[in-house]
Each structure stands twice: as structure tokens, then as C-alpha cells.
Amino acid sequence: MAALMAANDGDAVAYGDDEITRTAIAQLCALAGAQSAQLVFTGTAANILGLSLMLRPYQAVICAESSHLNVDECGAAERVLGCKLLPVQTPDGKLTPDLIASRLTGRGDEHRVQPRVIQLAQVTELGTSYSLDELRELRAFGQDHGLLTYLDGARIANAAAYLGCSLADIAAQVDVLSFGGTKNGALGVEAVLVMTDGLADGAQYHRKQQMQLASKMRFLGAQAAALLADGLWLTSASHANTMAARLADALTCLPGVRLAYPVESNAVFTEVDEQIALRLQDDFNIHIWSESGDGNCVLRWMTAFDTSPVDVDQLAKAVEASFHVKPDRA
Amino acid sequence: MAALMAANDGDAVAYGDDEITRTAIAQLCALAGAQSAQLVFTGTAANILGLSLMLRPYQAVICAESSHLNVDECGAAERVLGCKLLPVQTPDGKLTPDLIASRLTGRGDEHRVQPRVIQLAQVTELGTSYSLDELRELRAFGQDHGLLTYLDGARIANAAAYLGCSLADIAAQVDVLSFGGTKNGALGVEAVLVMTDGLADGAQYHRKQQMQLASKMRFLGAQAAALLADGLWLTSASHANTMAARLADALTCLPGVRLAYPVESNAVFTEVDEQIALRLQDDFNIHIWSESGDGNCVLRWMTAFDTSPVDVDQLAKAVEASFHVKPDRA
Amino acid sequence: MAALMAANDGDAVAYGDDEITRTAIAQLCALAGAQSAQLVFTGTAANILGLSLMLRPYQAVICAESSHLNVDECGAAERVLGCKLLPVQTPDGKLTPDLIASRLTGRGDEHRVQPRVIQLAQVTELGTSYSLDELRELRAFGQDHGLLTYLDGARIANAAAYLGCSLADIAAQVDVLSFGGTKNGALGVEAVLVMTDGLADGAQYHRKQQMQLASKMRFLGAQAAALLADGLWLTSASHANTMAARLADALTCLPGVRLAYPVESNAVFTEVDEQIALRLQDDFNIHIWSESGDGNCVLRWMTAFDTSPVDVDQLAKAVEASFHVKPDRA
Amino acid sequence: MAALMAANDGDAVAYGDDEITRTAIAQLCALAGAQSAQLVFTGTAANILGLSLMLRPYQAVICAESSHLNVDECGAAERVLGCKLLPVQTPDGKLTPDLIASRLTGRGDEHRVQPRVIQLAQVTELGTSYSLDELRELRAFGQDHGLLTYLDGARIANAAAYLGCSLADIAAQVDVLSFGGTKNGALGVEAVLVMTDGLADGAQYHRKQQMQLASKMRFLGAQAAALLADGLWLTSASHANTMAARLADALTCLPGVRLAYPVESNAVFTEVDEQIALRLQDDFNIHIWSESGDGNCVLRWMTAFDTSPVDVDQLAKAVEASFHVKPDRA
């Protein structure tokens, strides 16, 4: 916010040709080892712009069935790219070479879309993180099979914090990625980073055509700069992860609460029976994420850069209290 | 072919405003009880044009995972409509109310595409046919849930023949459907039939924009007229169905050959073990349709309007001979 | 900026369901007499979202050749809407019934796109404003010819200030319009306002699909609210207009400087000979807008909410000085 | 037609992998000096498929305002390609380097679409033909400015006949072109020919996605083969041109009839005053092509492969008779 105030002082050249934005872009590229970066407004926009650089209309994207791209972007990929997604069911939101291979049938057959991009999310929609070894293995598989890799990094900071690695360590395993600011404390800014020669061609025109060119770009630049200053992006994410681990510990002490997926970021997914889920939903304005069959439900709990240990402990206590309410209330 | 020769005589008004086409369209509408009909070149085109009449870009189509629309149209739906398909795994290519209901989550949620159309195929990609009762049940379900129904009728003639019903009996259960000629003996013509008020608006512009307006439309009209004359469409399909049943009987007498799906049209799907499948593929230029796990494969055999009993019997005999070849040959 | 700081305090519900955004939307609708409003990030996005509500892919938009939509949005209309623009040459950026009528040929002809929307800008790309009478006449013409009207209001505040009318007075003459904040002092926010029954259907899905749904919508809401508070939108625009008039007066006193278009907003277009234009371009980082033939050039000068009389006078003085430089310098 | 009958004999491999189609494709490539050829159903489809090979969504096509692509394809380019057309007014339907240069502003400006393809038609929509020198000059201009060239050859046969050159002579000056059959006697077949390395990539998938893959491709192949046999394509076109010249001679002998454009193919455009135009329209089911101002109208007369000298003479006589009708009849 202070960074925005500073950016508001004085006049500036429009459309990103200002000092603040140029500096932020340069820092971001240096941090990731990227060739170029484009700032956009939302995570969906980052995904679509990134994929625009990699696809022709008859080519397809292999992604997890549960991915944000497939589920939560209201068909932006289909509308703006005109491309088909080839979703794969996964146990934990993560693709594997075998899962990807299952969608590689029909290559060379003119009746079929042609898989061209592996779309990963780091962290995944289910809060899990790929290890660097897993990313390397996927990279090698992709290269062996003529596939590019795109990584949705809306929460890449949480993955870097969890893995204890640099942004460049992750970025090196993909061709294009997004770097998310909005879910890590910014008002609203995401970046599209290009790692591979030739893929950035025309990116600025795609961005404008996709309605992501801010005339007062410096306000996006200032947000990005603030996140990068003193490693704020990483300390914020690290803090959120710690709070998630603390919450997971507290919740799993309650009877009947199990983790649905390992806690590898700032998200905790718990599985509880339906009666409890409905009561918690009622009390905590939390959505039921999914039904896992057998009368059980999965609930998602997110922590943020500004979640405090006290917040976590109070929440855990309140949840516990909710357990003791008479069942007939639900 | 004779119909084409006749259509070739003399001059005619272009773009479908000729006597042959007008008459064929009128007959087709009468046969189906349809409000309007548009002729196009291919089955894929019929599906896309039909769906164009029913969808806005943020709306989605619920279809079988195995459907031609989803698998074999090279992403035409995504590119031309800009819409997302919501595929559902089915045991036999057929949707049910329960299967459709599984994709109705997220209605009213602005992050999600909004299901608007149930896409059926009659017959399905797996050769099965919906009964009229099943179609009525799906229709009622759709109406209860604010969903329109589109029916891919590339082989609707085979379904009508199998069910012993009229075209209108099937058409009455849907909003828009295609009527296939190409797979029923025509050189290349399909029709899009609109059953429901208001849905035909702008159809002629969609057709032109989708590159389906023939300047010499009378050659499409003549094919349609020939199919309709003396019920040729139904007798051709009925014959092909009979030949499929004959082939199924012969093949299932062979050891290790099972039907993968019931034979309800002009397609026979057999399941055999992989060794045999590879040998048959080798000998009969037949593609392996899918692998069903456990070392088994599904093979598809199609009959046509011009398949003779002798053809079937010779094929069955040749397949039997192929079984007796030494296994090491494969 | 103060409004943003306030919006940053505490937690808030995401995606626009917060108090700040709801209130801003309600105020905006009240001010314009609109049925609904959607906030988006950029002026291009507002135009595309607004037009999405009014068009099917085979329909077309009649607009001025010089319009932002046609020239400066990098083909977003064609890519995202899939629709054709039908541009018309205008003397001053303004459409008239006669100019629109010139693009109404081919209606009902399936080979032609079908005009459906008149796209106006208020103020126009050339700084001119439609009078309320002109808007009423265009409205009547549109209604007589089955055409909807969309108004690009990126600078509608300047038009309201110039005409001395309310937002509602202008909005009442169109079906959908945008209301611009970015060029009137906001960091980056525009609204799409729907005036006519039925046209808002699905707007929220279009917005998400077009990558304009901010998760932290309250920061857009806060900007809109700040613009509306105490009529800031109108006083800012009014001030900018006054400064433009002052600048125009000063510039036209210089020898060889003529107004290219009447000054009816915060833009001044001057025509000068090419030698002078090149010198001014050199000295003032001003782009040559266009060449008007005969060795003359048009230059555009914009004023803003924060332009002071001193700024104007200093600029005018500097321009005058530039005139006295020896011609051989250019 | 005889070729179709022959193609109908016996079974054939589907989707173009048959002997007839393979041979026709090979002949066509040899004739044009092309690297590859794809058969499609219509002229619009050929244009869209050809342009698909050359464009990214932010790139634009410079074409004549009067071109078929711009006027008569119902916005297929905008919908299917998502690209903007940049039309240019021309005196005679032909582009020139200067006219093209007028649309090359804004290159490198991210707010503008980026011109990438020059779209020519040979013959043009106004019946004129580019000379080989003109084509060479355009080619050189394009190469100097980083522009590819696409040629709409729906009536390229008429141009080759008029210029007395080979198909290869014309094709050598462009990157991708279409070769029209439908307007030269075929039932309905067009080919897309690729001349330049790399541009054919993915053509077969574009074709399927654009709903132009015929399952019974041999019927398209047979039409193409028949056109190529014994140079039928050229003798048919040559005959049609001769008939057009004969008609032009006869019509221009009538008082008040002038040629609107030179006769360089099988089209004759005459300019007459409006009263006469309305009467001729009445009597000859001919559409008024355009109004040329001053109360004059342009009428288009087309000849075909099967127009006989007697047809022309009778028409000319009938037109003359129509002139002698009392003016009050109109």
C-alpha cells in the first residue's frame, strides 16, 4: 500500500514504460532467470496469456481435472484460446508422467486435438507441491514427447517456501510460468514469465488483446516491486505456510478430523463426516470443497500473509466448540 | 448418384433457393416434425451448427466422454463455439440423469461455466441406442433443470431402424438434432433440424460463417431427397443393422470373443485378448478401438447399406481362419 | 488513494460481495438510472464486456473508423467476440444516421454479417461530444432499424461536464454503456452499465471469462466510490475541460495553429504545418496524431484532473518559444 | 459427373487416403509448384483455412474493401480466425504497394493489430486480374515489409486464361493460395495450396477443426482430378472469358452502357443510369451490384464454362429489347 502511495506521486509515462514497472520487471526476470515478464491483473489472465504463447488452436493442454484452469476460470481457455483441455483425474492434484501419457493417444490423427502443453500448478489446487525432482522428471518426460510445460504459479511463493528453494529452481523446469501476487498480499497483480527462446513473441499484443494492459501500469509495477523488496514474497508465503501447519496440527487433534491431502502450502484440506461438515459450514462461512463419498466431506481452510498464531488458535478453539454442539442443531 | 445426375441437368438458383433443395428440406421437416432444416457437408459441421443455436460462450455442453463431439472432432466445439465440454464417463456411451447430475455443480457460480445443453448421440459412439423411454426420461430431466437437448444423429437412421420407430418419435424428445446421410449411403450431406421455437434464429448466418453454405446446394439437396425417397434412409439402415447382428452372431461363436457392448445398430464391438487383437488388426486393417485393461482389447466392426450377407460370412470365416494361425506370428 | 487505504483495512469477502463494492455499484446504478453495473480493469475490457451482452457471432458493430474500439484495442473485439466491426469514415469522430445507414446494406443476406449494434463514443476519439439531441436522434434511428446502441464512456464525465447534463441524461439514450474512471483520476477502474431489460443476462460469467473478475474487488469498488463521492467524477472532468479550453485559446493565438476539431472535452487537436509539428514533437514528447494532407499534421493535447492553470500557461509559453527556434533546427 | 460415377464404384479408404484423392493432390501440387494441397468444400473455407496457416490472433490481413473475404463471407475470418481485417478502398478491386502501405501504421504499437498478410484475389471481386508484373511487385513489397501473401483463387483459372500463363506462374508470387473448382464447373471443391516452407504445419488439423474434412474425400478428389484432366480447368475458364468478352462487346454497343471495370475474366461490370438498371433488374433477375453516385448503377454479368455464344447473343438482344420498353414501365 505504501508502494502504491509512492507510485501515485507525480506523473508517469503510461502503459508500462515507467521506471517503477521497468525495474520491477527486471528484478522479477533476474529472480526467476526469465527472458521476459508481463504484468496482468488476475491469475486467470496470467494462465490464458501464458498459454497463448504456446498454442495453436488445434493443440491441447493436458491438466489435472481439479485444476483452477479447468474448473474455476469459467471456460476462459476455451473461449479465448479456442483450445481444448484434456483433464486427467489425479489422487492429489498432481500430474505424473503416467497420467500424462494416458492422454497422448491420437497423436498424428487429424480427428483429434494434438496435445502440446502440460499444465501444472505449483502449488496445486489441492494444496500439494511438486518436489523439484518431480518437476525435473515431468520436464524430461515432456521434452521426450514434444510437449511444452506451463506452470500456474498463482501460489508459487508458497511452494518455494515449502520446498526451501528459489524461484529460479522451479522456473528452470518449465517453459512459461505465472508468478502470483494477489494471493500473497498484493491488491491484484500477476506476472507471466517466459523461460524459453521464442515463446515471448507477440506477448505484448496478446496482453492488450486479452484486456490486460493497464494504462497506469505503474500501480501494477509498484505492487510487484513491493513483493520483491527484501524478499517479502517469500517471507509472506513462508509465514502463511507455518500458520497452515499450525492449523492442521490443531484440527487433526479433533476426533473425526483427518487430512485429505498432505499440507504442503498455505491450505489445509480436512475430511470429516457430513453432519460435522454441515455444522462447520454453518458456523464458519466455509464452503464444502467436495464430497468424498461414504458420507464424508472435504473442507478447505486457507491461511494468508496476515494470519496470526492467535487467529489460528482461536479458530481451532471455535471449531472444537462447534464439535460439542448438539448434533440435532445441524 | 442418379439423383445427382438429375440435379446436374440445367441451371439452378444458387445457395439453396432451388426446387430440389426446397423440396428435400420440406420433406425432412415433415418427417421429423421439425420447424426448419439446414443442410451441411459433414457430421462435425452439423454438430457445431446445431450447438451454435443453443449456446452463449460461457455455457457448457454435458456429453459422454466417448462421444464423437468430444473425441473425434479435433476440438471444433472449443474453437468455433468457444464453449467448454463437460464430459462424463459412461459404461456404454449413454448418458443418464444421474450421470448428467454429476456435472451440474457450480450453477450460479461465476467462476464456473454454466451447463446449458445435454448432448446425446443416437446411436452412440459405442453402437448403443437410447430407448424412447430413456429419451423421454432425459428430456424430462433436462426440462426440470433448465437444460436443452441436442442429439447427434449421424446414425439416427440406424437407431430408428433398431427401435422400430419414426424419425419424429426420436426428434420429439430433443430441441435440435442432426440427421446423417453420409454414413447411410450419401456422398456427403447432413441436416440440422430445429424442433423448438426460437432456436433457429440466425441459423443461416451461422451456417455461412461456419463455411457450410454450398453455392451449388442442389447437389446436397438431391442427396437428401434421394435418401428420403421411398424410405431409402430407413431400409438402408435396417439392412446395415441386420448385417451387424449377423456378424455379431458369427463372431461370438469364436472362442475368446465377447461382445463389449450390446449390438443395437450397425456396429459390433468385440472384446478379445491382446494377442488376438494384434493379429486381427494385422489381417483386417481394423483399428484397436481401446484397451480395456487386463490385457484385453476392444475392436469395432461396422456394416453399411451395401454390406451383403456373403460379405459378412466371408469376413467371419476369415476371422476364424486368423484364429488358427500360429500365435507366434503376431 | 485514501479510499484504497481505507479499503485495505480488515478482511473482506472476495469477488465483489463486499460492502464497499456493493455500495459503489448501487450508487453508480442510481446515478445513471441503470439496471446493473459490472466493474472491470480497463476501458478495452469495458467495451468488450458491454458488446458481449448484445451480440451473436454473425452480428456486427457499426462504429467510427477513428474509434478506440476499431483502432486502439488490438483487435480484442474480433478475437474475443468473434464479431466484425463495420467502420465508417467520419469528419469529426461522430456517427450520424446517414453514416450508419451507409452500412446497413446486405441485411437478410446470409453472405453478410448482420449489423446489430451502433457503437458511439462520448466523448469521441477526436474530443468531440454528441449533443443530447444528436443522441436522441441516433437512438430513434437505431430503434427504427432494429439496432441496439452501445456507448463507450471512457471519458463520459468530460461529456457530461461539457453538456452540463447528468449521467442519466446520456445513459437514457443507449442500451449499454461504459463509465470510465481511469482517465478521470482513478488508478484503474471502469464500469459497464446496462440500461435495457434482458441485456445483463450472464454478464458475470462473461466478465470472469474475459479475465476481469478481481478477487479483491473492493479495491475497484473503492475507486468507483471515491469518484462518486461529492460528485468528484464531474468536478474533475469539468476542471480538465476548463484547462483544455484555456490551452486551446492560448495555442490558437499562435500563428499557423488552427483547431482541427471543436474543443468539447479535455482534448485539444491542433493542425499545424509539418515542420512545426516535427519540432513540437521533438520538444514536447507529443505524438503526431495524423497527417491531414497538404503537408499539415494534427497534434493532440490532453488535460487531466490535476492539470493546473499554471501548467497550461507554461506549456503554452514553451510552445510559443518553440515556434521561435530557427527552422533549420528541425 | 462421370468422374463422380467412377469414384462411386467399389469401396475406398475414408478421409482422403484413397488413390483418387492422392493422385489429384499430386497433380495439383505439380501444376502449381506447391508443397502441399488440402481439398475443402467451399471458397470461403479455402480462404479461412489458408489464412489459418499464416496468422496469430493479434495479426491482421490487409485486403481490398470490396473483397469476398471482407464482404461476402459473413465474418468467417473474424469468427474462426479471431483476426481483424484491414480493408482498403481500391478503384478496381486491386491492391497496390501504396494502398497496402497506407495500412502499415502502428507496427510495433501494442495497441494495434499487426499487419501480417496481404490478401489478394485473382481474379478480383470486380473481375479484374493482376498482371504477373503487378504480382511480382506486390511480392517484393511484401517481402520488404515482413508480410506474407495469400491469394484467393476462387477464379484463378480465369486469370490464368486471361494472362496466358500457367498456374505455377501465379502461384510462385504468393505463399498460400486457393484453387477454385466450384465456379469453374465442379459441383463443389476448392484446394488450398501451400508454396512456402513451414506454412503447411498442422493444416490437416485446421481443416478438420474447420469442418472441412470429408469422410468420402474421394468425391472431392474426383472433381479435382476431372478438372485437371486434359487441362479442362483452363479450357473451361478460357471459354467463359471469351463469352464475357463477347457479351461486353455487345452490351457496350447499346446507348448509355459503359464498362465499369476492364473485362479481364468471366465477369462484365456495366454502368448504366438508374432507370435502366431497375428495368434490367426487373427483366433479368440481375442484382444491382452497387450505386456509383450521380444516379448511376453498376450491374454484374457473369459467364460460365457452359455459356454458349447463342446464350450471349440472345441475352444481348433481350437487353437491347429491354431498352426500348417505355420508360414509364419502370
Side-chain angles (χ1 to χ4, degrees):
Chain A
M1 195 50 76
L4 280 192
M5 295 292 289
N8 196 37
D9 260 6
D11 288 345
V13 182
Y15 300 113
D17 199 17
D18 63 279
E19 186 62 25
I20 295 173
T21 303
R22 275 205 311 273
T23 305
I25 292 289
Q27 289 176 332
L28 202 43
C29 287
L31 196 65
Q35 302 198 350
S36 74
Q38 302 269 339
L39 302 183
V40 299
F41 297 108
T42 77
T44 295
N47 287 342
I48 301 304
L49 176 56
L51 290 170
S52 287
L53 306 177
M54 310 166 87
L55 288 162
R56 304 280 296 163
Y58 59 84
Q59 294 176 329
V61 179
I62 298 175
C63 61
E65 173 83 36
S66 57
S67 63
H68 198 271
L69 177 72
N70 188 46
V71 175
D72 278 308
E73 304 190 349
C74 201
E78 288 85 356
R79 178 167 187 175
V80 181
L81 303 172
C83 285
K84 193 182 194 71
L85 305 183
L86 297 172
V88 187
Q89 298 261 358
T90 66
D92 56 1
K94 289 161 71 175
L95 292 176
T96 65
D98 279 354
L99 290 172
I100 295 166
S102 73
R103 304 285 336 216
L104 292 179
T105 54
R107 300 187 94 180
D109 174 352
E110 67 193 320
H111 297 78
R112 305 283 177 90
V113 290
Q114 298 297 302
R116 177 65 174 145
V117 173
I118 302 171
Q119 196 264 9
L120 309 175
Q122 175 80 318
V123 298
T124 72
E125 201 63 12
L126 304 181
T128 50
S129 288
Y130 292 91
S131 71
L132 289 179
D133 276 349
E134 287 172 328
L135 289 177
R136 276 188 282 265
E137 192 191 8
L138 286 164
R139 175 66 153 183
F141 179 86
Q143 288 176 334
D144 286 352
H145 291 81
L147 299 167
L148 298 170
T149 303
Y150 173 80
L151 188 142
D152 175 347
R155 292 195 285 144
I156 197 170
N158 299 95
Y162 173 75
L163 297 174
C165 71
S166 71
L167 184 58
D169 288 337
I170 298 174
Q173 302 311 321
V174 305
D175 296 288
V176 180
L177 71 154
S178 66
F179 173 83
T182 314
K183 292 187 173 169
N184 198 19
L187 272 62
V189 67
E190 311 280 313
V192 176
L193 306 173
V194 177
M195 307 299 294
T196 302
D197 284 351
L199 291 180
D201 290 355
Q204 72 274 35
Y205 305 108
H206 281 292
R207 180 172 63 171
K208 172 65 184 173
Q209 210 175 36
Q210 293 173 19
M211 304 168 285
Q212 300 297 317
L213 179 61
S215 62
K216 300 183 180 174
M217 185 64 84
R218 67 188 183 277
F219 293 114
L220 296 190
Q223 294 180 57
L227 277 172
L228 298 181
D230 302 323
L232 179 61
W233 69 282
L234 197 53
T235 50
S236 290
S238 185
H239 172 77
N241 287 2
T242 305
M243 293 302 101
R246 186 182 187 104
L247 180 61
D249 286 348
L251 292 176
T252 50
C253 288
L254 298 176
V257 177
R258 295 165 301 282
L259 288 180
Y261 310 107
V263 177
E264 299 175 350
S265 63
N266 63 328
V268 180
F269 288 80
T270 56
E271 195 177 15
V272 295
D273 84 40
E274 196 184 13
Q275 287 305 312
I276 295 177
L278 290 170
R279 213 182 314 144
L280 292 172
Q281 182 174 254
D282 228 25
D283 292 352
F284 295 96
N285 191 25
I286 190 173
H287 291 291
I288 292 181
W289 181 261
S290 63
E291 288 161 37
S292 54
D294 311 328
N296 290 322
C297 291
V298 174
L299 300 172
R300 184 179 71 160
W301 314 79
M302 301 292 291
T303 56
F305 71 101
D306 59 355
T307 307
S308 72
V310 175
D311 292 340
V312 170
D313 298 345
Q314 285 179 346
L315 175 63
K317 200 163 290 181
V319 170
E320 190 178 3
S322 184
F323 271 62
H324 296 131
V325 174
K326 294 192 197 71
D328 59 359
R329 195 202 138 187
Chain B
M1 195 48 77
L4 281 192
M5 295 292 289
N8 196 37
D9 260 6
D11 288 344
V13 182
Y15 300 112
D17 198 18
D18 63 277
E19 186 62 25
I20 294 172
T21 303
R22 277 204 311 273
T23 304
I25 292 289
Q27 289 175 333
L28 203 42
C29 287
L31 197 64
Q35 301 197 351
S36 74
Q38 302 268 338
L39 302 183
V40 299
F41 296 109
T42 77
T44 295
N47 286 342
I48 301 305
L49 175 56
L51 290 169
S52 287
L53 306 177
M54 309 167 87
L55 289 161
R56 305 280 297 162
Y58 59 83
Q59 295 177 328
V61 179
I62 298 174
C63 61
E65 174 82 37
S66 56
S67 63
H68 198 270
L69 178 72
N70 187 46
V71 175
D72 279 307
E73 303 191 349
C74 202
E78 288 85 356
R79 179 168 189 176
V80 182
L81 303 172
C83 286
K84 195 182 192 67
L85 304 184
L86 298 172
V88 188
Q89 298 261 358
T90 65
D92 56 0
K94 289 159 72 174
L95 292 175
T96 65
D98 280 355
L99 290 171
I100 295 166
S102 73
R103 303 281 341 213
L104 291 181
T105 55
R107 301 188 94 179
D109 174 352
E110 68 193 320
H111 297 78
R112 305 284 177 89
V113 290
Q114 299 297 302
R116 176 64 174 147
V117 172
I118 303 170
Q119 196 262 9
L120 309 175
Q122 176 80 317
V123 299
T124 74
E125 201 62 11
L126 304 180
T128 50
S129 289
Y130 293 92
S131 70
L132 289 179
D133 275 349
E134 287 172 327
L135 289 177
R136 275 188 283 263
E137 192 192 9
L138 287 164
R139 174 66 153 182
F141 179 86
Q143 288 176 335
D144 286 351
H145 291 80
L147 299 167
L148 298 171
T149 302
Y150 173 78
L151 188 143
D152 175 346
R155 292 195 285 145
I156 198 170
N158 299 96
Y162 174 73
L163 297 174
C165 71
S166 70
L167 184 58
D169 288 337
I170 298 174
Q173 302 311 321
V174 305
D175 295 288
V176 180
L177 71 154
S178 67
F179 173 82
T182 316
K183 291 186 174 169
N184 198 19
L187 271 62
V189 67
E190 311 280 315
V192 176
L193 305 173
V194 177
M195 307 297 296
T196 302
D197 283 352
L199 292 179
D201 289 356
Q204 72 275 33
Y205 304 107
H206 281 292
R207 179 171 66 171
K208 173 63 185 173
Q209 211 174 35
Q210 294 174 17
M211 305 168 286
Q212 299 298 318
L213 179 60
S215 62
K216 300 182 181 175
M217 185 65 84
R218 67 188 184 278
F219 293 115
L220 297 189
Q223 293 180 57
L227 277 172
L228 298 181
D230 303 323
L232 179 62
W233 69 283
L234 196 54
T235 49
S236 290
S238 184
H239 172 78
N241 287 4
T242 303
M243 292 303 100
R246 185 183 188 106
L247 179 61
D249 286 347
L251 292 176
T252 51
C253 288
L254 298 176
V257 178
R258 294 165 303 282
L259 289 180
Y261 309 108
V263 177
E264 300 174 349
S265 63
N266 63 326
V268 180
F269 289 81
T270 55
E271 195 177 14
V272 294
D273 83 41
E274 196 184 13
Q275 287 307 311
I276 293 177
L278 290 170
R279 212 183 313 145
L280 291 173
Q281 183 174 252
D282 229 27
D283 293 353
F284 295 97
N285 191 25
I286 190 174
H287 292 290
I288 291 181
W289 180 262
S290 63
E291 286 162 39
S292 53
D294 312 327
N296 290 323
C297 291
V298 174
L299 300 172
R300 184 179 71 160
W301 314 80
M302 300 292 290
T303 56
F305 72 100
D306 59 354
T307 306
S308 71
V310 174
D311 292 338
V312 170
D313 298 345
Q314 285 179 345
L315 175 64
K317 200 164 290 182
V319 170
E320 189 178 4
S322 184
F323 270 63
H324 295 131
V325 175
K326 293 192 196 74
D328 60 357
R329 196 203 139 184
Chain C
M1 195 50 77
L4 280 192
M5 295 291 289
N8 195 38
D9 260 5
D11 288 344
V13 182
Y15 300 113
D17 198 17
D18 63 277
E19 186 61 25
I20 295 172
T21 303
R22 275 205 310 273
T23 303
I25 292 290
Q27 290 176 332
L28 203 42
C29 287
L31 197 65
Q35 302 197 350
S36 75
Q38 303 268 338
L39 302 183
V40 299
F41 297 109
T42 76
T44 296
N47 287 341
I48 301 303
L49 176 56
L51 290 170
S52 286
L53 307 177
M54 309 167 88
L55 288 162
R56 307 278 297 162
Y58 59 83
Q59 294 176 330
V61 179
I62 298 174
C63 61
E65 175 82 36
S66 57
S67 64
H68 199 269
L69 177 72
N70 187 47
V71 175
D72 278 308
E73 303 191 351
C74 201
E78 288 84 357
R79 179 168 187 175
V80 182
L81 304 172
C83 286
K84 193 181 193 70
L85 305 183
L86 297 172
V88 187
Q89 299 261 359
T90 65
D92 56 1
K94 290 160 71 173
L95 292 177
T96 65
D98 279 354
L99 290 172
I100 296 166
S102 73
R103 303 284 336 216
L104 292 180
T105 55
R107 299 188 94 179
D109 174 352
E110 68 193 320
H111 296 78
R112 305 283 176 90
V113 290
Q114 299 297 303
R116 176 65 175 146
V117 172
I118 302 170
Q119 197 263 10
L120 309 175
Q122 175 81 317
V123 296
T124 73
E125 202 63 12
L126 303 181
T128 50
S129 288
Y130 292 92
S131 70
L132 290 179
D133 275 350
E134 286 172 328
L135 290 176
R136 275 189 282 266
E137 190 192 9
L138 286 165
R139 174 68 153 181
F141 178 86
Q143 288 176 336
D144 286 351
H145 292 80
L147 299 167
L148 297 171
T149 303
Y150 173 80
L151 187 144
D152 175 346
R155 292 196 285 145
I156 197 170
N158 299 95
Y162 173 74
L163 298 174
C165 71
S166 70
L167 184 58
D169 287 338
I170 299 174
Q173 302 311 321
V174 306
D175 296 288
V176 180
L177 71 155
S178 66
F179 173 83
T182 315
K183 292 188 173 168
N184 198 19
L187 272 61
V189 67
E190 310 280 315
V192 176
L193 306 174
V194 177
M195 306 299 294
T196 302
D197 284 351
L199 291 180
D201 289 355
Q204 72 275 35
Y205 304 108
H206 281 292
R207 179 172 65 170
K208 172 64 185 172
Q209 210 174 37
Q210 292 174 19
M211 306 168 284
Q212 299 298 317
L213 179 61
S215 62
K216 300 183 181 175
M217 186 65 84
R218 66 188 184 279
F219 294 113
L220 296 189
Q223 293 180 58
L227 278 172
L228 297 181
D230 302 324
L232 179 61
W233 68 282
L234 197 53
T235 50
S236 290
S238 183
H239 172 77
N241 287 3
T242 304
M243 292 302 102
R246 187 182 185 105
L247 180 61
D249 285 348
L251 292 177
T252 51
C253 287
L254 298 175
V257 177
R258 294 165 302 280
L259 288 180
Y261 309 108
V263 177
E264 300 174 348
S265 63
N266 63 327
V268 179
F269 288 80
T270 55
E271 195 177 15
V272 295
D273 84 40
E274 196 183 13
Q275 287 306 312
I276 295 178
L278 290 170
R279 214 183 312 144
L280 292 172
Q281 182 175 255
D282 228 25
D283 294 352
F284 295 97
N285 190 26
I286 190 173
H287 290 291
I288 292 180
W289 181 262
S290 63
E291 287 162 37
S292 54
D294 310 329
N296 290 322
C297 290
V298 174
L299 300 172
R300 185 180 71 160
W301 314 80
M302 301 292 292
T303 57
F305 70 102
D306 59 354
T307 305
S308 71
V310 174
D311 292 339
V312 170
D313 297 346
Q314 286 180 344
L315 175 63
K317 200 163 290 182
V319 170
E320 190 177 4
S322 185
F323 270 62
H324 296 132
V325 174
K326 293 191 196 74
D328 60 357
R329 194 202 138 186
Chain D
M1 196 49 76
L4 280 193
M5 295 292 290
N8 195 39
D9 260 6
D11 287 345
V13 183
Y15 299 113
D17 198 18
D18 62 278
E19 187 61 25
I20 293 172
T21 303
R22 277 205 311 273
T23 304
I25 292 290
Q27 289 176 332
L28 203 42
C29 287
L31 197 64
Q35 300 196 352
S36 74
Q38 303 268 339
L39 302 183
V40 299
F41 296 110
T42 76
T44 295
N47 286 342
I48 301 303
L49 175 55
L51 290 169
S52 287
L53 306 177
M54 309 167 87
L55 288 161
R56 305 280 296 162
Y58 59 83
Q59 294 176 328
V61 179
I62 298 174
C63 61
E65 174 82 36
S66 57
S67 63
H68 199 270
L69 179 71
N70 187 46
V71 175
D72 278 307
E73 303 191 349
C74 201
E78 288 84 356
R79 178 169 189 176
V80 181
L81 304 172
C83 287
K84 195 181 193 69
L85 304 183
L86 297 172
V88 188
Q89 298 260 359
T90 65
D92 56 0
K94 289 160 73 174
L95 293 175
T96 65
D98 279 355
L99 290 172
I100 295 167
S102 73
R103 303 284 337 215
L104 291 180
T105 55
R107 300 188 94 178
D109 174 351
E110 66 194 320
H111 297 78
R112 305 284 176 90
V113 290
Q114 298 297 302
R116 177 63 175 148
V117 172
I118 303 170
Q119 196 262 10
L120 309 175
Q122 177 79 319
V123 298
T124 73
E125 201 63 12
L126 303 181
T128 50
S129 289
Y130 292 92
S131 71
L132 288 180
D133 274 350
E134 287 172 327
L135 289 176
R136 274 188 284 265
E137 192 191 9
L138 287 164
R139 174 67 155 182
F141 179 86
Q143 289 175 337
D144 285 351
H145 291 81
L147 299 168
L148 298 172
T149 302
Y150 173 79
L151 187 144
D152 174 347
R155 291 195 286 145
I156 197 171
N158 299 95
Y162 173 73
L163 298 173
C165 71
S166 72
L167 183 59
D169 289 336
I170 299 174
Q173 302 311 321
V174 305
D175 296 288
V176 180
L177 71 154
S178 67
F179 174 83
T182 315
K183 292 187 173 168
N184 199 17
L187 272 61
V189 68
E190 311 281 314
V192 176
L193 305 174
V194 177
M195 306 299 295
T196 303
D197 283 352
L199 291 180
D201 289 356
Q204 72 274 33
Y205 305 108
H206 281 292
R207 180 172 64 171
K208 173 63 186 174
Q209 212 175 34
Q210 293 173 19
M211 305 168 284
Q212 299 298 318
L213 179 60
S215 62
K216 300 182 182 176
M217 185 65 84
R218 66 188 184 278
F219 293 114
L220 296 189
Q223 293 179 57
L227 278 172
L228 298 180
D230 302 322
L232 179 62
W233 68 283
L234 197 54
T235 49
S236 290
S238 184
H239 172 78
N241 287 3
T242 305
M243 292 303 100
R246 185 183 188 108
L247 179 61
D249 287 347
L251 292 175
T252 51
C253 288
L254 298 176
V257 178
R258 294 165 301 281
L259 288 181
Y261 309 109
V263 177
E264 300 174 349
S265 64
N266 63 326
V268 180
F269 289 79
T270 55
E271 195 177 15
V272 295
D273 83 41
E274 195 184 13
Q275 287 306 312
I276 295 177
L278 291 170
R279 213 183 314 146
L280 290 173
Q281 182 175 253
D282 228 26
D283 293 353
F284 294 97
N285 191 27
I286 191 173
H287 291 291
I288 291 180
W289 181 262
S290 63
E291 286 161 39
S292 54
D294 312 328
N296 289 323
C297 291
V298 173
L299 301 172
R300 184 179 72 161
W301 315 79
M302 302 291 290
T303 56
F305 71 100
D306 59 353
T307 306
S308 71
V310 173
D311 293 338
V312 169
D313 297 346
Q314 286 180 345
L315 175 64
K317 199 164 290 180
V319 170
E320 190 178 3
S322 184
F323 270 62
H324 296 131
V325 175
K326 294 191 196 74
D328 59 357
R329 195 203 141 183

